[in-house]
């Protein structure tokens, strides 16, 4: 519950889960629920699958045995995230989660492996390592990732196109419910090759354009 709390200071306040670029590109605010649903069926599944496999990799006993596995998961995630802008933002968010992880679970092999990585790891990979350290089960991790993505959009909407907060809260609940039947299958993943590759090309394009914009509230 704490990991999915928007008040946790891990960098989510600079991230709109692509909503600001979408609105700037002309998507009307009354289509935000459709946007949430689209992400739940695409981006969120990639992120959740990545986190679950990273969690699986981070369960062994030593940091050395974990490091190579997390590197493979990171490569699989990057191959499914073509946008350089989105990769950079995710790795920035990953650094925030890693600061949290090193403070709360010092010495855990998964956390140590993330800290020792030659370059910053993405948010879902670090989150998977944290899940291993926190003894969070795989299904709970999948639901956390899907919820967090939808809630990030909802929170950003209240800053970008303010509406009654009860409305996006209902959208989040519905979007999460629409993909709940997929949770068990995603939670069972153990190989980087099995991570879903359901991309969102329009989101990638919007993110690249947004990264060149100087007047923006969120990085992505």
């Amino acid at each position: 519950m704490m990991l999915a709390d928007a008040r946790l200071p891990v960098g989510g306040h600079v991230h709109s889960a692509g909503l600001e670029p979408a609105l700037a590109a002309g998507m009307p605010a009354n289509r935000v629920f459709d946007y949430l649903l689209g992400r739940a069926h695409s981006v969120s599944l990639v992120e959740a699958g990545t986190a679950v496999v990273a969690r699986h990799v981070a369960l062994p006993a030593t940091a050395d045995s974990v490091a190579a596995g997390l590197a493979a998961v990171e490569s699989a995630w990057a191959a499914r995230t073509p946008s350089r802008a989105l990769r950079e933002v995710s790795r920035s968010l990953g650094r925030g989660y890693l600061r949290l992880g090193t403070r709360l679970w010092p010495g855990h092999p998964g956390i140590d492996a993330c800290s020792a990585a030659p370059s910053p790891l993405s948010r879902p990979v670090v989150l998977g390592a944290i899940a291993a350290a926190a003894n969070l089960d795989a299904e709970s991790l999948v639901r956390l990732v899907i919820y967090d993505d939808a809630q990030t959009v909802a929170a950003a909407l209240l800053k970008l196109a303010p509406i009654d907060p009860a409305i996006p809260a209902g959208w989040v609940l519905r979007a999460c419910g629409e993909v709940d039947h997929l949770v068990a299958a995603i939670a069972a993943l153990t190989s980087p090759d099995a991570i879903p590759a359901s991309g969102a090309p329009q989101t990638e394009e919007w993110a690249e354009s947004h990264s060149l914009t100087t007047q923006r509230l969120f990085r992505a």
Side-chain angles (χ1 to χ4, degrees), residues 16-186:
S16 72
L19 181 64
E20 185 175 30
L23 294 176
M27 186 188 79
N30 62 9
R31 296 296 302 275
V32 171
F33 174 68
D34 296 324
Y35 179 77
L36 278 174
L37 201 56
R39 286 185 67 89
H41 281 282
S42 57
V43 176
S44 292
L45 298 185
V46 175
E47 298 277 303
T50 300
V52 163
V53 177
R55 171 192 172 277
H56 175 76
V57 167
L59 290 175
T62 66
D64 288 342
S65 65
V66 171
L70 290 183
V73 178
E74 179 74 11
S75 294
W77 168 83
R80 291 157 173 78
T81 311
S83 166
R84 177 179 177 180
L86 290 181
R87 293 196 303 270
E88 289 177 350
V89 168
S90 182
R91 286 164 179 158
S92 175
L93 294 174
R95 286 194 294 269
Y97 270 100
L98 185 55
R99 286 194 296 272
L100 176 73
T102 54
R103 178 65 64 87
L104 297 181
W105 297 281
H108 184 275
I111 302 300
D112 287 349
C114 289
S115 298
S119 57
L121 299 177
S122 61
R123 172 185 170 275
V125 170
V126 177
L127 185 55
I130 287 178
N135 294 318
L136 187 67
D137 67 86
E139 289 198 5
S140 295
L141 177 59
V142 174
R143 289 192 171 95
L144 184 153
V145 173
I146 294 171
Y147 166 78
D148 184 62
D149 187 79
Q151 181 57 33
T152 297
V153 172
L157 178 62
L158 298 178
K159 298 176 183 177
L160 296 167
I163 61 173
D164 181 350
I167 295 174
W171 291 344
V172 170
L173 184 63
R174 288 170 58 193
C176 291
E178 286 285 339
V179 294
D180 198 63
H181 65 287
L182 302 173
V183 168
I186 299 296

